[in-house]
Amino acid sequence: QVQFVESGGGLVQPGGSLRLSCAASGSIFSIYFMGWYRQALGKQRELVASITSGGSTNYADSVKGRFTISRDNAKNTVYLQMNSLKPEDTAVYYCNEALKVLAGHDTPWGQGTQVTVSS
């Protein structure tokens, strides 16, 4: 069971940038889809970005053009570069195996990392 530890969150002003990291406890080489999720206070968790093992990416409409997901299989790490941040991006951000989440498997969630965008 691969587990993930998120880091890199913090408090930034609107228009600022952050780079989140997702460190895996094991190899992510064979994980086809990795995803970044977020959950704002009082809202449902949503998928914001995903990436295949070959580097193909997909983004939620709300973050297209502002966020970039990437992965470094050698370092067992997935990243989320967030630019032009908006207050509505405020949430706890998590990473996970996207296919397992979609299938409803008993995939544990990490602690996540808090991103707060405020002036």
Side-chain angles (χ1 to χ4, degrees):
Q1 182 79 19
V2 177
Q3 297 182 353
F4 305 99
V5 178
E6 302 89 349
S7 63
L11 174 64
V12 296
Q13 293 184 320
S17 298
L18 284 173
R19 192 189 192 199
L20 307 184
S21 296
C22 169
S25 63
S27 176
I28 63 169
F29 180 79
S30 62
I31 301 177
Y32 185 58
F33 276 111
M34 286 294 301
W36 277 99
Y37 301 78
R38 69 185 181 188
Q39 186 168 25
L41 186 63
K43 296 185 178 180
Q44 299 285 338
R45 181 172 55 239
E46 63 174 339
L47 176 67
V48 298
S50 64
I51 185 169
T52 70
S53 59
S56 180
T57 59
N58 194 41
Y59 300 92
D61 289 341
S62 59
V63 306
K64 285 182 179 178
R66 301 188 298 118
F67 289 11
T68 302
I69 186 172
S70 61
R71 62 192 291 170
D72 188 335
N73 292 332
K75 295 182 178 180
N76 295 324
T77 303
V78 183
Y79 304 96
L80 185 68
Q81 178 67 48
M82 306 186 296
N83 299 324
S84 302
L85 284 163
K86 304 175 180 179
E88 50 263 45
D89 295 318
T90 296
V92 178
Y93 284 72
Y94 304 87
C95 64
N96 218 322
E97 300 179 56
L99 288 179
K100 288 188 175 180
V101 174
L102 181 64
H105 292 178
D106 291 330
T107 302
W109 296 91
Q111 296 181 12
T113 184
Q114 176 72 49
V115 172
T116 302
V117 184
S118 177
S119 60

